[in-house]
Amino acid sequence: MDSSSDEEDDHHNLIHQNSTKPRTPPSITAATFHVDDLNSRFRRANFKFQKKYIIAIIVLLIVILLFSIPNLRRHFSTASFISDSVSDRMKESELRAIYLLRQQQLSLLTVFNRNSQSNTSDPNQTPNLIEDLKSALSKQISINSEIQQILLNPHRIGNVFDPEFDFGNVNVSNGNYDTCRTIDQNLSKRKTVEWNPKEGKFLLAICVSGQMSNHLICLEKHMFFAALLNRVLVIPSSKFDYQYDRVVNIDHINKCLGKKVVISFDEFSNVKKDHLHIDKFLCYFSLPQPCYLDDEKLKKLSGLGLSMSKPKAVWDDEDTRNPKKKSVEDVMSKFSYDDDVMAIGDVFYAEVEHEWVMQPGGPIAHKCKTLIEPNRLITLTAQRFIQTFLGRNFIALHFRRHGFLKFCNAKKPSCFYPIPQAADCILRVVERADAPIIYLSTDAAQSETGLLQSLVVLNGKPVPLVIRPARNSAEKWDALLYRHGIEGDAQVEAMLDKTICAMSSVFIGAPGSTFTEDIRRLRKDWGSLSMCDEYLCQGEEPNIVAENE
């Protein structure tokens, strides 16, 4: 720029020197003046032409400029819009990231406080603490990744990031840790006994204590006794007990063993119609009364056309209120007889080889997941209900309330929790399981379930509690029960509730309830038992307990 400027100055000086005219002598003719006048006129005409030409160029430039201004305005306007858009996106991302960081802080504080208050010296609590920590870390890794993506989104160009912000992916082993994964039951390593009934040898199951759940547990133990004694098990008559074929799949048991190991009471009556007699009636428990049978129940048995000897206890001191542990050898020594028809009194409370009997799949060798499972119609109805209302990922809660207050308060510690405390316990499981909905199996009043629903709120959002609705002809999920005439049966509905709970991602049970224990048995056998399954407020005591009357 400096060199160019110097050259222009030199050129201007040269022109000025050459244009200097010599002075005119005083004696100049008139013709010279005429020539000068003509040149003067010519220069004036030429100046006017140049002036017009310059004006035309200026006008043209003005017109071009006027047409260019809208495009310039549009260009600057677009640039401003893009700048504002990126700025807005960055601001929105930052606010979202701050919100997630706040949630992350609160979650970590909750885990920290919970573990600080826990009894780390208790070996029973250690696995739960470890799982909680793994769950928390897994969730925080996920949230951290989400925060990064949110902050990077404004810098995305198409499907890739601006190179300045492309840090690559961090490889975190076990980053997708499944907190509530199912538990491998190792069914192939079960300890089992073969069930090979001898021809003409029968065992009548007598189950009288409690409700259906107690009876199913009693029936399962009777199957173990029948296998040990090599007898066909006779399912109780509906005139004396529940109508089992409505609730459980009896044929399924025989198919699983590939032989006839159980028969209905009606089949047994046809086989023994000429001599319907119990040859040996033995009682596992002697106290508080032999076989747990009163006179009314004995009359019901007789009403089936059965003749029998008087029930006899095999142990004089075996009490249902304090059962003693027994071995297979103990059972064989007391119950091995050659009589054709035997009956054994209620064995619900029997403590025979507990670990063996309670193992996943049960103690008997078979080719199925479980021997005692819901009627096929109930299983299909449960699947249809889940497809209609719940979806694959849901928590099931057995919330036992009716009559449970007195039952629990008789225990030390009590198992009956105030609803606000129960809600807090449920929310902890919801947070770990990351499930959007809860199936509620309960006998509680609407006043209690309504309060519970109002308190089960996570991050400002209520977690829906779904209760199985009354039949509606517009809904078809329960059509199978209606079509086969078993809708409205209390035991069918109870088993339907159990089946839905057994199919859940996570199950929260009622401590001390056999209804819950039967669900846990199904979950163990079906392989749906989860790392997050627990009893309500497991490890806690109620924060208040009423005095005894």
Side-chain angles (χ1 to χ4, degrees):
M1 290 296 292
D2 292 343
S3 173
S4 176
S5 179
D6 291 342
E7 288 175 2
E8 287 178 1
D9 289 342
D10 291 342
H11 183 64
H12 177 73
N13 292 334
L14 287 171
I15 292 174
H16 179 72
Q17 290 171 3
N18 293 336
S19 61
T20 304
K21 296 179 182 180
R23 301 182 73 176
T24 305
S27 54
I28 297 175
T29 59
T32 303
F33 286 101
H34 288 295
V35 174
D36 289 340
D37 184 53
L38 181 61
N39 288 336
S40 178
R41 288 179 183 178
F42 178 78
R43 283 197 298 272
R44 284 197 297 271
N46 191 35
F47 175 75
K48 289 180 180 178
F49 176 77
Q50 289 179 352
K51 186 177 180 181
K52 290 179 181 179
Y53 181 73
I54 292 169
I55 290 172
I57 291 173
I58 291 172
V59 170
L60 182 62
L61 288 173
I62 290 171
V63 170
I64 292 171
L65 187 62
L66 288 172
F67 277 102
S68 300
I69 286 173
N71 292 328
L72 287 170
R73 186 182 297 115
R74 201 158 37 243
H75 171 75
F76 286 116
S77 176
T78 302
S80 176
F81 172 76
I82 293 172
S83 176
D84 290 345
S85 177
V86 172
S87 176
D88 289 344
R89 282 162 52 201
M90 288 181 67
K91 184 176 180 180
E92 183 179 345
S93 296
E94 288 167 357
L95 289 173
R96 175 64 180 161
I98 290 170
Y99 170 77
L100 288 176
L101 286 169
R102 176 64 175 164
Q103 293 300 111
Q104 189 176 52
Q105 181 189 46
L106 292 173
S107 297
L108 289 171
L109 281 172
T110 300
V111 174
F112 178 80
N113 290 332
R114 191 185 307 156
N115 284 275
S116 297
Q117 295 168 4
S118 299
N119 183 8
T120 54
S121 63
D122 185 354
N124 295 325
Q125 288 194 20
T126 302
N128 290 333
L129 295 177
I130 293 172
E131 290 303 321
D132 278 349
L133 288 172
K134 285 183 177 180
S135 171
L137 288 173
S138 174
K139 191 168 185 178
Q140 301 320 311
I141 290 169
S142 176
I143 290 176
N144 184 276
S145 177
E146 186 179 355
I147 292 170
Q148 289 185 51
Q149 292 299 315
I150 287 170
L151 290 174
L152 288 172
N153 274 337
H155 306 286
R156 189 189 297 272
I157 302 171
N159 293 325
V160 297
F161 291 111
D162 188 321
E164 184 182 354
F165 297 97
D166 190 3
F167 305 119
N169 294 323
V170 178
N171 183 22
V172 181
S173 61
N174 295 327
N176 293 325
Y177 174 75
D178 184 4
T179 310
C180 296
R181 63 192 181 279
T182 54
I183 300 172
D184 183 8
Q185 301 293 340
N186 292 320
L187 295 177
S188 61
K189 298 180 179 179
R190 288 190 305 130
K191 179 183 178 181
T192 58
V193 60
E194 296 290 335
W195 190 354
N196 297 308
K198 294 178 182 177
E199 187 176 355
K201 302 299 180 181
F202 301 95
L203 174 65
L204 271 67
I206 307 295
C207 298
V208 293
S209 62
Q211 303 299 316
M212 172 61 90
S213 296
N214 292 40
H215 286 223
L216 289 176
I217 294 171
C218 172
L219 192 64
E220 185 179 23
K221 291 182 178 180
H222 265 107
M223 287 166 58
F224 184 45
F225 276 60
L228 293 175
L229 300 172
N230 296 320
R231 292 177 176 271
V232 171
L233 185 68
V234 180
I235 302 297
S237 167
S238 58
K239 294 177 181 177
F240 176 76
D241 201 343
Y242 293 110
Q243 193 168 346
Y244 285 95
D245 59 349
R246 282 191 167 194
V247 178
V248 296
N249 192 341
I250 303 298
D251 291 336
H252 168 79
I253 300 172
N254 291 323
K255 288 178 182 177
C256 287
L257 277 92
K259 62 191 79 169
K260 198 82 167 180
V261 293
V262 295
I263 61 173
S264 68
F265 186 82
D266 290 339
E267 288 179 86
F268 169 72
S269 298
N270 289 332
V271 172
K272 290 289 186 177
K273 55 187 175 183
D274 296 331
H275 186 62
L276 203 59
H277 177 73
I278 298 175
D279 302 317
K280 190 74 70 176
F281 199 152
L282 301 177
C283 299
Y284 187 96
F285 289 99
S286 56
L287 301 171
Q289 57 194 25
C291 287
Y292 217 69
L293 287 169
D294 55 23
D295 291 340
E296 183 181 349
K297 290 184 176 68
L298 286 170
K299 286 179 182 178
K300 274 191 174 182
L301 274 175
S302 299
L304 299 175
L306 277 169
S307 60
M308 67 193 82
S309 57
K310 185 178 179 181
K312 178 184 176 183
V314 297
W315 290 291
D316 294 333
D317 59 347
E318 192 64 22
D319 194 332
T320 59
R321 292 161 295 191
N322 186 27
K324 298 180 179 67
K325 291 183 178 180
K326 304 291 183 182
S327 66
V328 167
E329 290 74 20
D330 293 330
V331 171
M332 297 297 290
S333 66
K334 293 293 184 180
F335 294 93
S336 293
Y337 290 92
D338 195 43
D339 299 86
D340 289 345
V341 180
M342 284 181 59
I344 298 179
D346 200 315
V347 293
F348 168 73
Y349 295 101
E351 285 286 341
V352 178
E353 303 285 3
H354 180 78
E355 297 300 323
W356 190 1
V357 171
M358 298 305 293
Q359 68 182 332
I364 300 169
H366 58 83
K367 59 185 179 182
C368 301
K369 289 183 177 181
T370 184
L371 290 179
I372 298 180
E373 68 175 23
N375 181 306
R376 178 67 176 161
L377 296 174
I378 294 175
T379 301
L380 292 173
T381 301
Q383 292 173 353
R384 291 181 176 188
F385 179 85
I386 291 169
Q387 184 179 357
T388 302
F389 294 100
L390 302 171
R392 180 179 295 277
N393 185 26
F394 70 97
I395 295 171
L397 168 64
H398 177 215
F399 194 55
R400 171 85 184 271
R401 301 300 277 186
H402 181 68
F404 214 45
L405 177 59
K406 184 176 180 180
F407 169 82
C408 279
N409 282 359
K411 296 187 169 194
K412 302 296 178 189
S414 173
C415 53
F416 192 88
Y417 297 91
I419 289 178
Q421 184 179 0
D424 286 341
C425 297
I426 293 164
L427 282 171
R428 287 202 295 270
V429 178
V430 171
E431 197 168 14
R432 284 180 66 194
D434 194 24
I437 198 166
I438 297 173
Y439 177 68
L440 183 59
S441 174
T442 187
D443 55 3
Q446 197 279 329
S447 57
E448 292 185 80
T449 57
L451 176 59
L452 184 66
Q453 175 64 89
S454 69
L455 294 172
V456 181
V457 178
L458 185 64
N459 296 329
K461 183 179 179 182
V463 181
L465 302 179
V466 177
I467 297 176
R468 188 166 44 81
R471 186 175 188 279
N472 186 331
S473 59
E475 297 172 2
K476 300 302 179 185
W477 60 269
D478 59 350
L480 287 173
L481 303 183
Y482 182 78
R483 197 179 306 150
H484 288 83
I486 59 174
E487 87 292 347
D489 183 303
Q491 301 310 320
V492 169
E493 291 188 350
M495 181 56 80
L496 177 58
D497 257 17
K498 285 183 185 179
T499 309
I500 294 169
C501 290
M503 293 178 175
S504 64
S505 304
V506 174
F507 175 61
I508 305 172
S513 167
T514 52
F515 189 95
T516 280
E517 293 310 313
D518 203 34
I519 293 169
R520 289 177 63 86
R521 175 189 66 82
L522 280 173
R523 289 178 66 78
K524 268 192 311 182
D525 294 356
W526 283 351
S528 58
L529 193 68
S530 159
M531 292 289 290
C532 294
D533 281 17
E534 63 177 53
Y535 296 103
L536 182 64
C537 295
Q538 187 168 308
E540 291 185 27
E541 294 186 16
N543 56 34
I544 184 171
V545 178
E547 295 178 1
N548 292 326
E549 50 184 338

